[in-house]
Amino acid sequence: MTDLTTFLGHLCLSEAELRKIWWFRGRMYKDFPLLSKSGKPRIISAPDRRLKMLQRTIALLLDQIYSPRNPVHGFVPDRSVRTNATSHLKSKFVVNLDVERFFPSISENRVAGLLKAIGVDESVAVVVARLCTNQGVLPQGAPTSPVLSNMVCFKLDKELQAIAKAAHCIYTRYADDITFSSYQPPGGLFAEGVPPTGNFVPDLLSQRLIGAFTNNGFKLNPSKSHYGDKHSRRIVTGLKINSGLNVDRRFVRNIRSTLYSIETLGADTAQKKFEVEYGGKCRLSQHLKGEISWLGSVKGQSDPIFRAIAARFNSSFPTQPIKVSPTRAQIRSRAVWVIEHFEGKFAQGSAFFLKDVGLVTAAHCIEEALGQEIDVYHPSKPSNVFKARVRQHHTVRDLAILDHEIPAHEFFELEMATRAPSLGDALTAVGYPGYGPGDSLNVRSGHISSFAVKSAVPLIEVTQKLTQGMSGGPVLDEDDKVAGVIHKGGPEEGRDFAVHIDALTAWLDGR
């Protein structure tokens, strides 16, 4: 951004086209309402295709000269609402503030002045400010608004960080959401001690804190100032942090309520009801899809609540489905469960869901529970116990398949290996050895050390130790497909074996 000619060259923009945009850029935006999570409509000003391409290029150039401060989590690579909320997880006291009309508070002149102040050529600064603003302010919807707003807030972030340090608080900012948190009541943030929990008027804040906003051209939203202590609900950028990171229950409840309206009244009637309640012409399907996608980004693609809600949405709006794309690790984690029974002596093992087969485990894990109910649960919620029974088992092959009524959104299915394993191949054994509350899936890497056949059953010997409790879990190849079922191993065994997947297919085929 050393001179205007070079800058226009980066944009592949002629001076004639620049003049056209200069005078007519107002016509290059389309305004439409978008509901916030609170249900209130906000106006999004989206640039047309040509202007958006220019702004994206400018945003990339600005990213090269802007380095965000540590407390900034909005519009920063590898940072999100999750990282923002995680910063406050261990805090017992939280102060939430919100900047009123955040983007419209940043004017074209302010953008130009900022760029000139950091050494950008004056003519380039003026052009950038003109190309990236609409009606004299930053538009919410332009690709350049996020980075420019963060650059404008650079001084504000420094001042708020200093205030937080003096008050022994943690400070973060996600766009217009300001959060302070601490282990002790944050009296230093207020003029006369902390207020009662709940919403409070910004005038109660210390003059230094109020001045930091006003001196930087911002105003606090009086309806969104909130204080939470260790006895109340603490929310940071929409996430509850009281005990771990979670979405506010009311948010999920509202999504389910909206889906119920669609399913019972029909999409058209639900749309009209939605418009009456919230105003504007925002499409209900788009609003709902955004909320559900955000839920998935927070809770994870493998989360059963997200998957159940996404399935309901996809059923109602099949032409605009929400893609559920879990990672391999997420599929693996949600496919392997714990099984227990108390018939005879207590027994515990692992089981996994196999596509087109069902819930598979080792026969020796359930041999004393034939005809009895077996407890099956996922360690993410061990109190949510499902019942299963043995559908069929084969003692010699040490294989069993269980009948269950676990909802499909609660688990993922693994697939059988499509290629034959070879000596030396890498294999991963997964299961729950000696499971106790709080344990996560145990993943052990190793290789195939040999193949064996015992009682006409093909076995795979692996190099990793297979300890008690892992029995019945899968052994996965490099494609994360099932190559075998964990059979036996541990310190009392000389060798560690898994039943070859061919033994399962032969059994199912009646061979």
Side-chain angles (χ1 to χ4, degrees):
M1 295 190 181
T2 53
D3 61 82
L4 185 58
T5 302
T6 304
F7 176 66
L8 293 180
H10 278 300
L11 299 183
C12 299
L13 185 67
S14 67
E15 291 189 13
E17 190 174 8
L18 173 62
R19 285 194 295 271
K20 181 180 178 182
I21 297 173
W22 186 280
W23 295 110
F24 300 106
R25 74 189 190 285
R27 302 178 187 178
M28 303 176 76
Y29 286 90
K30 181 180 180 181
D31 294 344
F32 61 91
L34 182 67
L35 291 190
S36 64
K37 291 184 178 64
S38 64
K40 295 181 180 179
R42 57 186 176 187
I43 301 301
I44 301 297
S45 297
D48 66 13
R49 182 173 176 273
R50 175 59 175 145
L51 184 56
K52 183 180 290 187
M53 289 176 61
L54 292 174
Q55 290 174 343
R56 283 176 175 165
T57 303
I58 293 172
L60 292 174
L61 294 173
L62 292 173
D63 282 335
Q64 296 176 18
I65 61 174
Y66 167 67
S67 179
R69 294 185 184 275
N70 288 334
V72 180
H73 291 261
F75 319 123
V76 177
D78 300 321
R79 301 184 198 175
S80 63
V81 291
R82 282 185 66 94
T83 61
N84 185 62
T86 300
S87 302
H88 304 276
L89 262 181
K90 296 182 180 180
S91 299
K92 301 300 181 184
F93 302 87
V94 174
V95 176
N96 305 111
L97 304 174
D98 182 85
V99 177
E100 191 170 52
R101 291 175 52 80
F102 181 59
F103 287 114
S105 296
I106 302 173
S107 66
E108 180 178 338
N109 289 338
R110 194 172 176 186
V111 171
L114 166 73
L115 295 175
K116 286 186 283 186
I118 62 175
V120 175
D121 179 81
E122 182 174 355
S123 59
V124 175
V126 171
V127 169
V128 169
R130 178 56 64 99
L131 292 178
C132 299
T133 57
N134 182 32
Q135 298 179 354
V137 298
L138 284 186
Q140 187 165 353
T144 43
S145 293
V147 63
L148 283 172
S149 65
N150 276 343
M151 293 174 73
V152 168
C153 289
F154 193 80
K155 181 171 175 285
L156 173 66
D157 291 324
K158 181 180 179 180
E159 293 179 17
L160 295 182
Q161 210 170 355
I163 292 171
K165 184 177 181 180
H168 305 289
C169 291
I170 298 168
Y171 159 69
T172 63
R173 180 177 63 82
Y174 189 95
D176 55 353
D177 286 324
I178 312 292
T179 306
F180 294 92
S181 70
S182 60
Y183 304 105
Q184 299 295 329
L189 300 179
F190 296 91
E192 298 180 3
V194 296
T197 57
N199 291 341
F200 64 88
V201 292
D203 292 343
L204 296 178
L205 296 168
S206 69
Q207 287 302 308
R208 183 185 179 190
L209 184 50
I210 294 174
F213 289 98
T214 55
N215 294 339
N216 283 279
F218 294 111
K219 180 183 177 182
L220 290 173
N221 189 333
S223 65
K224 291 188 176 181
S225 299
H226 186 273
Y227 172 62
D229 65 11
K230 58 185 177 182
H231 302 297
S232 62
R233 188 166 50 91
R234 302 188 297 280
I235 302 291
V236 178
T237 45
L239 299 180
K240 191 175 179 181
I241 63 168
N242 288 54
S243 55
L245 214 60
N246 208 346
V247 177
D248 188 359
R249 193 176 300 171
R250 294 174 299 181
F251 180 76
V252 177
R253 192 183 303 135
N254 288 339
I255 292 177
R256 285 173 170 158
S257 175
T258 304
L259 284 170
Y260 180 76
S261 294
I262 294 169
E263 292 162 349
T264 55
L265 303 176
D268 292 340
T269 303
Q271 173 70 38
K272 293 176 182 177
K273 179 183 176 183
F274 177 71
E275 291 175 2
V276 170
E277 289 183 358
Y278 298 106
K281 297 294 182 181
C282 175
R283 293 302 302 171
L284 174 58
S285 59
Q286 291 298 320
H287 170 68
L288 195 56
K289 186 175 183 178
E291 289 195 327
I292 297 172
S293 297
W294 183 81
L295 178 69
S297 70
V298 173
K299 296 182 77 68
Q301 295 277 304
S302 63
D303 181 78
I305 293 176
F306 163 70
R307 293 177 61 208
I309 288 176
R312 290 176 64 184
F313 177 89
N314 292 345
S315 177
S316 297
F317 301 100
T319 60
Q320 43 185 314
I322 295 173
K323 293 183 179 180
V324 180
S325 306
T327 64
R328 282 186 176 185
Q330 289 173 331
I331 293 174
R332 181 194 300 169
S333 173
R334 204 72 205 179
V336 184
W337 289 44
V338 177
I339 60 171
E340 293 178 347
H341 67 81
F342 300 86
E343 300 301 324
K345 62 179 181 179
F346 172 75
Q348 186 183 76
S350 301
F352 64 95
F353 293 90
L354 185 61
K355 188 176 181 180
D356 298 327
V357 176
L359 185 56
V360 178
T361 188
H364 74 264
C365 293
I366 49 83
E367 59 188 356
E368 294 188 19
L370 299 177
Q372 306 296 323
E373 288 188 333
I374 299 167
D375 291 343
V376 185
Y377 59 87
H378 192 270
S380 63
K381 196 173 183 181
S383 60
N384 193 20
V385 178
F386 297 92
K387 300 298 182 181
R389 287 178 178 270
V390 179
R391 181 201 309 167
Q392 57 188 118
H393 73 289
H394 197 293
T395 303
V396 175
R397 287 187 168 101
D398 195 23
L399 295 171
I401 300 174
L402 310 181
D403 280 328
H404 64 88
E405 295 183 358
I406 304 173
H409 63 262
E410 291 281 350
F411 60 86
F412 283 123
E413 293 179 314
L414 298 172
E415 297 182 9
M416 287 189 188
T418 54
R419 57 184 177 83
S422 302
L423 193 66
D425 280 358
L427 288 182
T428 303
V430 293
Y432 293 98
Y435 174 77
D439 289 352
S440 58
L441 184 66
N442 194 284
V443 180
R444 301 184 181 182
S445 300
H447 295 82
I448 298 176
S449 58
S450 73
F451 294 99
V453 177
K454 292 188 177 181
S455 301
V457 179
L459 302 174
I460 301 173
E461 184 177 4
V462 295
T463 57
Q464 58 265 58
K465 298 305 295 181
L466 305 177
T467 49
Q468 187 174 2
M470 295 186 75
S471 295
V475 172
L476 306 173
D477 64 15
E478 291 179 301
D479 298 322
D480 250 33
K481 295 187 177 181
V482 180
V485 181
I486 296 175
H487 169 51
K488 62 188 298 186
E492 297 181 1
E493 301 284 346
R495 304 166 75 181
D496 298 273
F497 287 107
V499 177
H500 198 297
I501 195 65
D502 287 351
L504 176 62
T505 55
W507 176 39
L508 296 175
D509 291 341
R511 292 183 276 125

